[in-house]
Amino acid sequence: MSRLGPPSRTTAVRPAPEDAVPPGPRCFLIRGQLRRPLALTVAQLRERWPQRRAEVVFDCTTNGPQHHTFEGPLLREVIDAAEPAFDVRRRKDRSRYVLAVTGRDGHHAALSWAELDADFGDAPVLLATAMDGRSLDAAGSQLVVPSDRCGARYISAVTGIWFGTCAPPEADGFRSGGPGPGAS
């Protein structure tokens, strides 16, 4: 429930202590099948893109219902700036892409590009720059999925976003029209 204001394979790896981020603005990477991969801070998210506002309520398994107000740009607009490697004129091409978002604690979640694309789901997913009126500059951006009833895809302290396609099932030995996985 939310109200909005104006409109390859990867593995999560925790950084070793020597790879720790130095003090200062936290930067996260947007990479994958993009023409212009990006490295961004929360301040840059705030300065480069229009800020949207989302009042959300989601269920947290450990703490019960959570009520928050987030501000930040639409994830779709940030990814558009990185120039996805698909043909924008071909809807079926765009519908094959996915995003994997990872947080500092190793938590990660997947979204489909079709969820975000205005020709499909047009979901107003945010990369938050503020939560409840407080800047997230020190903590890092947060993925906000206002349509989700549970908070599992709310990723705190985003460290990276991977954008690309996954191999179709046929590439993994599964053939359409035949018996399904595990059949003998």
Side-chain angles (χ1 to χ4, degrees):
M1 174 198 307
S2 66
R3 293 183 308 211
L4 294 174
S8 174
R9 294 186 190 221
T10 61
T11 304
V13 178
R14 292 204 171 121
E18 62 271 10
D19 296 333
V21 177
R26 296 202 179 274
C27 187
F28 68 94
L29 301 175
I30 301 176
R31 60 186 177 77
Q33 295 172 357
L34 302 162
R35 291 179 185 93
R36 294 183 45 190
L38 299 171
L40 296 168
T41 64
V42 172
Q44 290 169 323
L45 286 174
R46 190 179 308 104
E47 295 162 4
R48 294 183 186 178
W49 290 276
Q51 301 295 288
R52 308 296 175 105
R53 183 182 184 98
E55 295 178 16
V56 301
V57 177
F58 60 88
D59 288 323
C60 177
T61 308
T62 55
N63 298 319
Q66 301 292 301
H67 300 261
H68 294 288
T69 301
F70 291 97
E71 295 174 31
L74 292 173
L75 174 58
R76 173 182 65 238
E77 292 175 352
V78 176
I79 297 296
D80 278 342
E83 299 179 12
F86 52 60
D87 182 345
V88 295
R89 300 165 299 179
R90 296 182 56 216
R91 288 184 180 136
K92 285 185 179 180
D93 190 32
R94 295 189 331 248
S95 70
R96 298 179 309 117
Y97 283 77
V98 296
L99 298 95
V101 182
T102 304
R104 189 174 311 114
D105 63 358
H107 181 62
H108 56 279
L111 298 102
S112 73
W113 179 252
E115 286 179 82
L116 309 177
D117 191 306
D119 285 340
F120 296 97
D122 199 20
V125 175
L126 302 179
L127 281 175
T129 59
M131 180 174 92
D132 300 327
R134 292 183 305 276
S135 167
L136 292 174
D137 287 84
S141 183
Q142 182 164 335
L143 180 71
V144 177
V145 187
S147 59
D148 282 7
R149 292 186 306 171
C150 90
R153 292 198 299 176
Y154 282 64
I155 306 293
S156 298
V158 171
T159 57
I161 300 173
W162 178 86
F163 180 88
T165 60
C166 296
E170 290 81 22
D172 293 333
F174 178 74
R175 303 270 183 247
S176 59
S184 42

